[in-house]
Amino acid sequence: MSITLALSNSISALQVNQIGLATTAQNVANANTPGYSRKQLNITTQVVDGQGIAVNVSSISRIVDSFLVREMRRQLSDFHNTSAVDAFYAQMQNLFGAPGNNSSLSADLSDFSSALEALATGPENASLRFEAVAAGERVARNLVKLAGDIQTLRFEADQQIKAAVDQINNQLREIETLNGEISRALADGRDVPDLEDKRDQAINKVAEFIDVNVTTRQDGSVALFTRSGRMLLEGSRRFVDYTPASTVTQSTAFGAITIFPLDASGQPTGNGEQILTAGDSATATTELVSGKIKGLLEARDSNLYELGLQVEAFATKLRDEVNAIHNQGSGFGAPGTLTGTRSVTTADAFQATGTVRIAVVDSAGVIVNSVDLDLTALGASTVGAVASAIDTALGADASVAVIDGKLVMTATGSGNGIAINDSGTAESATGRGFSHYFGMNDFFVGTSAATFAVRSDISTNPGNVSTAELSKTAAIGAQGITVGDNRVVQRLAQLMDTRLTFQPVGGLPLSSFTLNEFLGSMIGLNSVRAADAQDMRKAREILVDDLTNRVHSVSGVNVDEELANLIVFQNAYNMSAQVLKTASEMFDTLVNILQ
Amino acid sequence: MSQVATAEAFDDLLDTSTRLTDLIAAEIAALRAMRPRDIAPLQEEKAQLTARYGAVLAQLRANPEMLKGANPARRGQLRQAVQQLRDVIGDNLRALKAARIINEKMIRVIADAVAAQTKPTTGYTAVGTEARTNPNLDSPATPITINEKV
């Protein structure tokens, strides 16, 4: 058995003093009435050996009573804190779908991977192309939904914060009124236990939402402060103010929660005191210690926000890795126009190394015209100069220019298309290949998970999926793109099984994972956190219940019994821990045997 | 292994799991109803059942074939019984932990309150030495009984 040293000292102190507080419980008819609290005890004491009584026992009972009430309120705040966190984790678990669910993001990503592998075996097969694009679209839709659902949950949490603040204000109004009635009654010499109970319930209601310290004044009124010392009510009540956001995205800056004094006409006045600063989820800070609002803030600004960051990291990785490879190739039947996704102006600086080939090919893949632009030799240049150089080199066969802030390459001549091979090129700032840098031939487009999509002209024409590589050596009139060339789509398929580096994000460490493994670790982390939150909620629920029972109990304080219980609980706990260990081992053994 | 031995092993395991589950549920009920005295008598049977459980587990590990002869319905029944035990133990540990936490805090609060009141008050006498209320005692020891009237 282990008892902490401090507790052991406490017990020794009690025993040295040889104090035995024995009480005889009396039945009270309305002991089970909610909010009914114990009456003051009449206590007589006994003198032994002529020694004066050194202990004021009635004050010990008062101290224990007020400890129990304080502790119960504290645990109530903690319970509602954890309860809010747990509730949102449960909803977050639903976002991923059940394990093995066919429509989960993991399943869709696996389907996409399979579709790419299939396409690699038959790159000219139209239905395989169609399926690869459809699978990509499912991944995109799932990502958009996941990102959207996360923000919807954050919006809900934010709305619940507002509702909690309104509730606090309602209860403060009630407590202020009851304070007045109680003070007046006590001044008149009347006992008002019913009003005091009603006030206690209102205070408990405030404690659900926000951590409180309660002080009772000489006149019987109570003052309420937050645990960090902000006044909520002393004499007159204050007003807690919060305006929720009208829409919520990852970057939303939320408002502050401010406590204002009220002026004579009952309006908030002055600058107030902030218990939550304004700002986005990464920058806002709170001095709240516990209560439902703290839990909602944790859900909104930590748990859901971090999940949003993880989803963004996944979406970015998926898009950039797929696009890097997709930009290396061309569909058979190269598209007539390639429009970049990067926003540029002609004056933007551009510098890269390597040689990029841009070709105009006909519907049979034969090179009509091409240019091999030596970017190393070009050195420090501008987007406009580069566009101009390509445009000039391709002459009447293509037009290349910056149009509406995007680099656009259009083949002239019916049935002709543009193909690019940027292998060996690297833009100086990003390291991306020429085509990838400008986003000339992206598969996935969109600046965030919320706007993720397959490029629209690939959706409408799956023939635009890059499967083949433009020959970097073929001359004009020779085959630039060959039927059955699957080099690029094969690389895309292999990408799905490649371990990529993921930077630390939202609690996930630096890792080397395939895309699907990263999803798995994201879901796994969320599951672990959700399970912890549920355990903590259950544990705190029991604490609150037990403390509430103690507060309302009329059996009084029995120190000998408490000491005896200490040993009983310790033994029972150790025994139960042993049962758990054996039962868990039994379960694992049975699972193996009874397969 | 014989059919009879398999059936016996099954029954033993099922019986032990079920009895432990019921006992632990009774323990939880006593705790939640604030009758901690009622859990002390349960501990002996709990210890016996746990020991028996451990013994069966050791046997199973040595002879996994003991259970293989059972039909699927019985297997499902056994798995469920053990799962139920695991679930109820989780609740039990939480209830015991809560009871311990409150119990320890109560003792500490009471002890601190008593200690604060029994500190001998000291002042100075006219000749500048420390005065003590009861100079012959290190600390007063006073047994008290209280009759509560509500």
Side-chain angles (χ1 to χ4, degrees), chain A residues 238-315:
Chain A
R238 293 205 158 181
F239 181 78
V240 186
D241 180 66
Y242 180 65
T243 306
S246 50
T247 56
V248 173
T249 67
Q250 274 294 101
S251 57
T252 296
F254 298 97
I257 300 179
T258 315
I259 305 177
F260 287 104
L262 296 173
D263 63 19
S265 57
Q267 293 303 311
T269 181
N271 293 330
E273 295 173 312
Q274 289 186 352
I275 53 177
L276 169 76
T277 61
D280 65 22
S281 292
T283 55
T285 58
T286 182
E287 54 183 58
L288 290 175
V289 172
S290 192
K292 185 173 180 183
I293 295 180
K294 181 91 174 32
L296 292 168
L297 285 171
E298 192 186 314
R300 187 192 78 183
D301 295 341
S302 294
N303 306 338
L304 285 161
Y305 180 71
E306 288 185 354
L307 186 62
L309 290 176
Q310 290 165 8
V311 170
E312 285 303 326
F314 171 79

